[in-house]
Amino acid sequence: MCGIVGYVGSRPATAIVIDGLQHLEYRGYDSAGIAVLQDGAIHVRRDAGKLSNLIKLLAQQPIDGHLALGHTRWATHGKPNQQNAHPHSDASGEIVVVQNGIVENYRELRESLQAEGIDFRSETDTEVIVHLLALNYSAAGGLAEAVRKTLGYLKGPSAIVAMTSREPDRLVAARLGNAGGVAIGLGSGETFVASDIPAILEHTRRMIFLEDGQYAVITPAGAQIATLDGQPVAAEIHDIPWNPVSAAKGEYRHFMQKEIFEQARSITDTMRGRVDFDSGEMILEQLRLSRERARSFDRIVTVACGTSAYAGLVGEFLLEHIARIPTDVDYASEFRYRDPIIDERTLLLAITQSGETVDTLAAVEEARNKGAFVVSIVNAIGSQAARISDGVITMRCGPEIGVASTKAFTASVVDQYLLALALAQARDSIGPAHRRRLVDDLAHLPRLMGQVLDQSPAGNAVYLDLAERFHGYRNFLFLGRGINYPIALEGALKLKEISYIHAEGYPAGEMKHGPIALIDREMPVVAIAVQDSVYDKMISQIEQVKARHGIVIAIATEGDDFIASKADHVITVPKAPSLLTPVLSVLPLQRLAYEIAVWRGADVDQPRNLAKSVTVE
Ligand code: F6R
């Protein structure tokens, strides 16, 4: 999970930047680099592997100055080697940039830059940014304008920081979409910038956070913020408490809120280094699954609890559709009590955020004893589930502190998508063109998620209005169909656990077999009705609810005007390939549950009776 640290001021900058990067090491990375302005020229030091390698290199070839920019990289495009490490420089070496995020259209941009005679020295998507900055620099009349112009060419979420030897008093940072944060720390006669607060917290507690679509000119005197279309912004200065736990919460009111809004970034991290967007291949080293073994499975059994089990239900669609392997999902707490039929031709998939859930661990033991190959999808590295599995896919979404699971849900769905592609690759279950399309679809996911996670006043207003209106209701019904049926289960679980409102999730087609009896004016029904193969069927369910005076809140695809005539309230998500729609449609349900719980004054991060890690049966 990439990290950025920058400094401009009067102190020696190298040590400050390296120290900041060390504070971000816990996030994981596979190469690191630093650019420093020394004697009027930019000097770059980069190395693969741990920061200690970079520190050794700096000891042999020291650089220092008062303007510096550092980065720890977790590879997405191209191997984790010295050439691909950030910062990246333009041909003249006068401009450098670091980036977190993905340039979705980097292939087109690289081809057109190459056609203009520009040589590329790395395999990264980031390098296009620095060449575009160089091309725009003169016409734009400075780095800030060049950054603003360059971002206009980029598709996909990006957080970038750039510097140039031609403007020795400044860094320019910008944020496009949700590629993670940009925190600007205000000191006295010095200013810091970082992707994460802990990197600079020991120097200052006064911070500004860039919003999506803003850029900042950072000088020793402070930071000037403007929108990417040029409107100056009077940014709020936050006072961050010293307590490291509160500090980690940053600008957010609750960890759950932070974790909801982190998801576009955590999904980028989940994909990093595992999806080769050029070849369309999966690189899941810890899966430790030979081609022969992958071809030997005749079924997959997924075991998990709670939210992780619902992620498994989404995965059932993905694994069957992409890998073409019959898949069943079992509550881990039930699994071992019915003498399950498992043998060495079974791939047992355990999904567990904590990796310590006792029921899931017991199910894994049971399956291992029966000869299954066990793969676990875990968030907590080194947890028991990871230790006792044959193969592991980590979620890489960082610590999930809110008791109600949010970012682990989306990360484990994406991990299953990667697993399905890896199995399809080994078993030749789908053709290369189809696999390629599925991989390309993934690259757009963080940007689409970022759109649903719009935190602007207008983006928040939808949820605040609904929370105001619905926080007093006592029951909710959630309906979904097809791959979005598990999202109805997850939406209901989120609402009930943090707001204590009774909520049921149902496959929409089952409504008429019972729950329809409950529908009246007091029963809000949340219907996930995105435009996919079961859309018409969802519309007819909505009509049945309306015929009984139920209130419908629809989660619909952007641009679907028809649904507005059927539902009472509509929340939209962008159009997406159908296998990825659950990752988008769950986001409004998390936001809605969160705002309703806040309205009710509930303890969102630590709901009553619940534990983050359930280590008792
Ligand atoms: C719901 C929630 C729980 C967990 C469940 C499994 O928001 O957090 O339902 O999903 O206890 O936990 P893990 O994934 O740690 O095994």
Side-chain angles (χ1 to χ4, degrees), residues 294-322:
R295 293 171 89 94
S296 73
F297 301 130
D298 58 14
R299 64 195 284 248
I300 298 174
V301 175
T302 303
V303 289
C305 298
T307 288
S308 292
Y310 299 153
L313 287 173
V314 177
E316 180 178 349
F317 282 79
L318 302 175
L319 291 160
E320 292 199 338
H321 185 86
I322 301 173

Side-chain angles (χ1 to χ4, degrees), residues 305-308 351-357 360 400 403-405 490 493-494 497 611-614:
C305 298
T307 288
S308 292
I351 305 174
T352 166
Q353 186 284 133
S354 61
E356 303 291 350
T357 299
T360 310
E400 192 180 61
V403 164
S405 188
E490 175 59 7
L493 179 63
K494 280 296 84 84
E497 66 186 336
K612 186 66 191 158
S613 178
V614 183

